[in-house]
Amino acid sequence: MRLSELKRNEKGEVIRISNDNKRLRRRMLDMGVTKGVVIKVRRIAPLGDPISLELRGYELCLRKRELDNIEVNRL
Amino acid sequence: MKIVLVGNQNCGKTSLFNVLTKEHQKVGNWPGVTVCKRSGIIEGSSDELTDLPGLYSMYAYSEEEKITREYLLKEEIDLIINVIDVTSIERSLYLTMQLRSLDIPLIVVFNMIDLLGKEGIEIDFKKLEKELGVKVVGVSSLKRMGIETLKEVIKGSYRKDKIYCFDKVIEDRIEKISERYSKHSYFYSLEFLEEDGFDEVIASERYAYIEKVMGSCFKKEKKKSVSDRLDEVFLNRWLAIPIFVLVMFMVFYLSIEIGGCFSNKIGDYFINGCRQSVRFFLDSVGVSSWLVSLVVDGVIQGVGFVLLFVPQLMILFFLMAILEMSGYMSRIAFFLDMLFKKVGLSGKTIVPFIVGCGCSVPAIMATRIIENKKERERAIILTPFIPCSAKLPIIILFSSYFFSNYFALVCVSFYVLAVLIILALAFVFKKYLDNEEDTTYISELPKYKIPSFKYVCRETLEKTFSFINRAGSIIFVSSIVIWFLLSFSLHFEYGVKVEDSILASIGKSIAWFFYPFLGRTSWEAAISSLQGLIAKEQVVSSLSIIGNIKNLFNPVSAYAFVAFNLFSIPCMGSVSAMKREFVSSKKVLLVMGVELLVAWLIATFIYMISILIGG
Ligand SMILES: Nc1nc2c(ncn2[C@@H]2O[C@H](COP(=O)(O)OP(=O)(O)OP(=O)(O)O)[C@@H](O)[C@H]2O)c(=O)[nH]1
Ligand SMILES: [Mg+2]
């Protein structure tokens, strides 16, 4: 399933990052969104977007659209 | 020796820089405070230390990260001090792995060790040193722990042991390509492979190595942090935006109301008192009358009048410093992103906007953290519309003279007006001038921090001094010039009627432009707006020298006049800052034209509407 489909406080393990925007994809890799990493959906902004995630011990905010491109296994 | 500080955004590089060099560069709790390089000398040595903007990866994403990348790859550097925030080590070590691959000696500094206990973190520094293959030091820039050790390490010799991070396939390939490069060959080879489709493998292997290191050197007990609890409130679905509006309202309301106690009530008496006693003194020692008038009517009136606003500004600077140090800024960016996206801006634009309440020049530079070029350009154009601290005296003066009953509310209404205009303009830009394009928002949410009282006070005093400094330089000189132009006629006769002065002649030639929103030709208003281009405080300063403000305006034209001055062409400093960021004079001229037009239209609109409604 997609990371954007996870609800608040749910966790998923990343299995694939598919993004046609090469620069953005590279940035997400650099920020620690790599295969196998466990990501928790921490918070959804009051207006519905962006979404804050917890991974590798810190909090990262991304827009929903970007989360669509990350495939996860719900844990 | 040439040493640089490199690390992720917000890890405390500038704090450490300030400790080591005894400088006072700006520190704040959001990613991207530093956006250009700054150098200083480490105290007690002759080593030059350079503070660079933060970056998450050598693969630079935004403008400020590019500066650091270029600097590291182009300059001759003797030592990199890689600063790491102990509360997010895992992500930070990714950059460390990249820095290791450069041909530059490296030491790793773990900053904020004062937080280890509170966060329930345990780190085995000895083991870490072995795993990373470089010298490791733990410090706290805030509590000044470990600084002496760090200085010793800088003086010592550095090691960089080989570590095995990548598997054999990658290492073999690197070996093959590396001879193509004369410098930083390991780094460039890796980068070549990353471009060549190995980016995911390389990133994963780096992180895998880091996970292994973390597993053996790092322990953290699970608990709900204070930051988390605060976010339950500040990022709450229903409360977030009301709280934000309330916070901003209070910042302006408190500065204006509390600070105003002094200037509004006793300001005029104070200045008149000064003028009278100085006049009395100069007369009594026999100074010629024109010089007395220059000192009293020009300098004391012009400079003193601006200084009356110091109390309000000090409170504003104080509250803003608390806001900037707390970590709330990134939250605002987070929950406003959705709204800003609708008008074609990034949520991060809130950073230049809030910094812009102090001064537009650093605010325009702060737009470098916005990664999308179009969004960044719009942010640069829109930032000067935020009333900066030099514009606050204009707002306060006119509101207190013409709206004494609702004084503070009228003041705040100008800020609301500014926000509405910015959103409207952004919408117009997006809709009619640029084609839609994909933008992104990637940001770290830093933990809340209790603002350090010392830093907040220092920041407040520094900004206040810079305001006073300008009063003593730019405003001082301008006041003298104004006095001359006001005291002489075109034929250089002294002591002419104000109406026949050079200043009046200049003013009269442009007064027509202001007629539509003042309802009369006022060369005084025209001249002072013109002077606002030098520095915005100059608007009130010159009006106070020229004459009685209360007779020149009525409430409606006063409101329109303030709006015009807030939104028209900003001061010279901001214009040149804009030029630096745009790197195109043509664009800047265009923007200035637009600003002038927008300000004129808004002021005229306000005047017309009020006349229509009020009859
Ligand atoms: N508790 C604690 N806080 C610190 C320490 N050092 C820095 N900080 C805080 O961390 C935040 C970031 O500090 P800066 O020095 O601005 O960080 P920077 O690395 O220069 O950040 P950028 O310029 O944005 O890349 C500020 O709120 C500091 O007060 C420390 O040793 N302990
Ligand atoms: Mg900094």
Side-chain angles (χ1 to χ4, degrees):
Chain A
M1 70 193 303
R2 294 153 195 244
L3 182 52
S4 51
E5 293 168 58
L6 288 189
K7 297 211 178 54
R8 202 176 156 198
N9 287 329
E10 285 185 333
K11 284 184 189 171
E13 183 186 332
V14 174
I15 45 178
R16 216 157 70 94
I17 308 153
S18 54
N19 204 323
D20 352 308
N21 182 342
K22 220 178 129 226
R23 239 162 63 84
L24 176 66
R25 181 187 128 96
R26 177 66 196 280
R27 167 87 343 181
M28 299 226 271
L29 288 171
D30 288 345
M31 297 300 278
V33 185
T34 55
K35 227 179 272 178
V37 74
V38 174
I39 297 183
K40 177 176 163 189
V41 175
R42 270 284 289 270
R43 219 172 286 283
I44 298 164
L47 298 173
D49 203 17
I51 287 167
S52 103
L53 309 168
E54 187 183 308
L55 72 155
R56 301 196 184 275
Y58 79 105
E59 213 171 327
L60 175 69
C61 309
L62 290 171
R63 285 189 187 151
K64 238 187 193 141
R65 248 227 344 249
E66 270 85 74
L67 303 192
D68 281 342
N69 299 317
I70 302 173
E71 241 174 89
V72 294
N73 268 335
R74 181 161 38 201
L75 296 179
Chain B
M1 219 169 60
K2 210 166 154 182
I3 306 172
V4 295
L5 288 167
V6 183
N8 287 171
Q9 277 84 337
N10 211 37
C11 65
K13 298 174 294 298
T14 308
S15 305
L16 185 59
F17 176 82
N18 287 344
V19 170
L20 289 174
T21 62
K22 294 271 179 303
E23 295 220 13
H24 303 303
Q25 296 301 333
K26 188 171 173 72
V27 165
N29 190 10
W30 78 84
V33 179
T34 310
V35 290
C36 60
K37 69 177 171 72
R38 280 280 155 70
S39 301
I41 302 292
I42 296 183
E43 218 206 5
S45 78
S46 57
D47 301 333
E48 187 196 43
L49 184 68
T50 304
D51 180 28
L52 292 169
L55 79 173
Y56 291 112
S57 152
M58 283 296 281
Y59 185 80
Y61 199 65
S62 54
E63 217 48 46
E64 102 267 24
E65 293 192 325
K66 278 181 201 147
I67 295 173
T68 304
R69 180 194 156 96
E70 291 298 298
Y71 194 87
L72 287 175
L73 294 177
K74 300 268 156 67
E75 297 284 320
E76 288 299 324
I77 298 164
D78 298 307
L79 175 66
I80 294 177
I81 299 181
N82 177 204
V83 184
I84 283 180
D85 169 354
V86 288
T87 61
S88 47
I89 298 182
E90 191 169 336
R91 185 204 63 222
S92 313
L93 285 176
Y94 186 83
L95 179 69
T96 311
M97 301 307 280
Q98 291 182 324
L99 294 176
R100 266 191 61 101
S101 62
L102 296 170
D103 294 342
I104 307 172
L106 175 74
I107 58 178
V108 178
V109 169
F110 286 81
N111 188 28
M112 312 202 195
I113 51 169
D114 56 299
L115 296 177
L116 288 180
K118 220 190 280 167
E119 297 274 329
I121 300 172
E122 262 176 69
I123 303 173
D124 186 341
F125 284 113
K126 275 264 137 28
K127 229 178 192 173
L128 204 54
E129 193 161 302
K130 222 174 101 217
E131 299 278 357
L132 293 175
V134 292
K135 203 95 183 105
V136 166
V137 193
V139 306
S140 162
S141 321
L142 192 70
K143 302 267 153 71
R144 314 215 163 197
M145 301 194 283
I147 302 296
E148 288 311 313
T149 322
L150 173 60
K151 281 187 177 167
E152 288 304 312
V153 172
I154 293 174
K155 282 193 203 120
S157 57
Y158 324 113
R159 48 186 261 226
K160 198 191 276 177
D161 311 337
K162 178 94 186 116
I163 57 170
Y164 295 92
C165 165
F166 302 112
D167 66 21
K168 196 146 173 351
V169 184
I170 304 267
E171 289 284 358
D172 283 350
R173 277 174 188 262
I174 292 173
E175 202 149 313
K176 253 186 240 144
I177 2 179
S178 67
E179 55 211 42
R180 291 185 206 164
Y181 308 98
S182 57
K183 207 179 160 198
H184 303 311
S185 56
Y186 197 79
F187 172 81
Y188 281 121
S189 308
L190 270 169
E191 195 150 76
F192 177 84
L193 287 178
E194 284 170 319
E195 289 293 319
D196 205 27
F198 285 88
D199 54 352
E200 194 166 344
V201 180
I202 290 177
S204 299
E205 290 190 7
R206 275 199 190 113
Y207 269 115
Y209 185 83
I210 294 167
E211 280 168 28
K212 203 184 88 209
V213 174
M214 296 285 291
S216 65
C217 314
F218 181 87
K219 260 192 240 127
K220 183 172 171 69
E221 63 182 84
K222 274 215 154 41
K223 59 178 179 187
K224 204 164 164 119
S225 70
V226 183
S227 259
D228 240 354
R229 294 217 185 91
L230 285 174
D231 274 341
E232 292 295 331
V233 180
F234 287 112
L235 290 182
N236 178 289
R237 214 167 145 189
W238 306 111
L239 295 178
I241 290 178
I243 289 178
F244 164 65
V245 172
L246 188 73
V247 166
M248 294 316 288
F249 177 82
M250 288 314 279
V251 166
F252 296 118
Y253 189 83
L254 286 179
S255 344
I256 291 164
E257 193 73 290
I258 299 178
C261 294
F262 175 75
S263 12
N264 294 347
K265 305 233 163 64
I266 56 174
D268 280 345
Y269 297 106
F270 184 71
I271 288 213
N272 284 335
C274 282
R275 287 180 56 171
Q276 251 142 39
S277 45
V278 172
R279 186 187 295 277
F280 182 76
F281 171 74
L282 291 179
D283 278 341
S284 69
V285 295
V287 175
S288 55
S289 69
W290 69 270
L291 194 57
V292 174
S293 167
L294 170 63
V295 172
V296 172
D297 304 328
V299 174
I300 296 186
Q301 180 67 33
V303 175
F305 204 73
V306 169
L307 291 181
L308 283 184
F309 296 94
V310 165
Q312 283 102 329
L313 292 177
M314 274 185 88
I315 298 176
L316 179 70
F317 295 149
F318 183 81
L319 294 175
M320 273 174 47
I322 292 180
L323 200 65
E324 292 176 355
M325 297 292 293
S326 64
Y328 189 48
M329 295 271 268
S330 304
R331 267 83 190 170
I332 308 175
F334 174 62
F335 63 68
L336 285 187
D337 179 62
M338 179 77 170
L339 181 73
F340 277 19
K341 193 175 72 180
K342 289 217 161 77
V343 294
L345 295 173
S346 157
K348 289 181 190 170
T349 318
I350 198 69
V351 171
F353 285 174
I354 290 182
V355 173
C357 296
C359 176
S360 301
V361 177
I364 289 170
M365 286 172 71
T367 58
R368 288 182 188 173
I369 59 172
I370 299 165
E371 54 268 2
N372 183 281
K373 191 159 171 276
K374 280 270 159 57
E375 284 182 337
R376 176 160 177 246
E377 284 193 347
R378 282 179 222 148
I380 295 173
I381 297 173
L382 295 173
T383 298
F385 281 95
I386 292 284
C388 69
S389 61
K391 290 172 179 170
L392 191 58
I394 313 180
I395 297 178
I396 294 174
L397 179 80
F398 281 88
S399 307
S400 70
Y401 276 3
F402 296 97
F403 302 93
S404 49
N405 292 342
Y406 305 99
F407 162 63
L409 286 180
V410 172
C411 288
V412 173
S413 77
F414 283 108
Y415 286 90
V416 176
L417 184 65
V419 171
L420 294 179
I421 290 171
I422 285 171
L423 292 179
L425 279 178
F427 183 75
V428 171
F429 288 154
K430 181 190 162 185
K431 186 110 197 196
Y432 299 104
L433 298 180
D434 292 323
N435 346 357
E436 287 282 332
E437 61 176 312
D438 287 350
T439 59
T440 57
Y441 180 84
I442 299 189
S443 174
E444 178 195 354
L445 218 49
K447 296 208 163 59
Y448 288 100
K449 293 215 165 73
I450 299 170
S452 138
F453 187 68
K454 211 177 76 192
Y455 257 115
V456 170
C457 288
R458 193 150 83 198
E459 174 101 8
T460 309
L461 288 180
E462 222 149 82
K463 283 187 182 163
T464 310
F465 278 133
S466 113
F467 180 81
I468 294 176
N469 209 341
R470 278 199 314 184
S473 51
I474 300 177
I475 309 294
F476 176 79
V477 174
S478 305
S479 301
I480 295 179
V481 173
I482 293 279
W483 178 86
F484 268 105
L485 295 178
L486 200 59
S487 306
F488 288 88
S489 75
L490 280 171
H491 311 293
F492 294 103
E493 302 151 291
Y494 172 67
V496 291
K497 277 217 302 281
V498 175
E499 286 300 314
D500 301 325
S501 65
I502 305 179
L503 201 64
S505 318
I506 303 173
K508 279 172 191 158
S509 66
I510 53 169
W512 53 271
F513 184 78
F514 296 81
Y515 185 84
F517 59 84
L518 295 180
R520 55 182 288 192
T521 44
S522 162
W523 64 267
E524 298 92 336
I527 278 292
S528 61
S529 300
L530 198 61
Q531 298 227 357
L533 300 182
I534 300 171
K536 289 287 169 184
E537 309 89 307
Q538 189 57 35
V539 174
V540 291
S541 165
S542 73
L543 270 177
S544 87
I545 298 177
I546 295 172
N548 197 335
I549 300 171
K550 282 179 184 153
N551 297 339
L552 292 173
F553 301 89
N554 59 39
V556 173
S557 68
Y559 199 93
F561 181 70
V562 175
F564 177 81
N565 278 297
L566 295 188
F567 305 127
S568 83
I569 303 171
C571 70
M572 290 185 309
S574 320
V575 172
S576 63
M578 251 198 268
K579 166 141 192 311
R580 266 202 308 275
E581 302 303 313
F582 274 139
V583 207
S584 141
S585 309
K586 225 173 86 192
K587 244 183 214 165
V588 176
L589 281 176
L590 186 71
V591 171
M592 283 162 70
V594 171
E595 280 161 343
L596 192 61
L597 183 70
V598 167
W600 189 86
L601 288 175
I602 290 165
T604 309
F605 181 75
I606 291 171
Y607 189 77
M608 296 296 173
I609 290 289
S610 322
I611 295 293
L612 277 182
I613 294 172

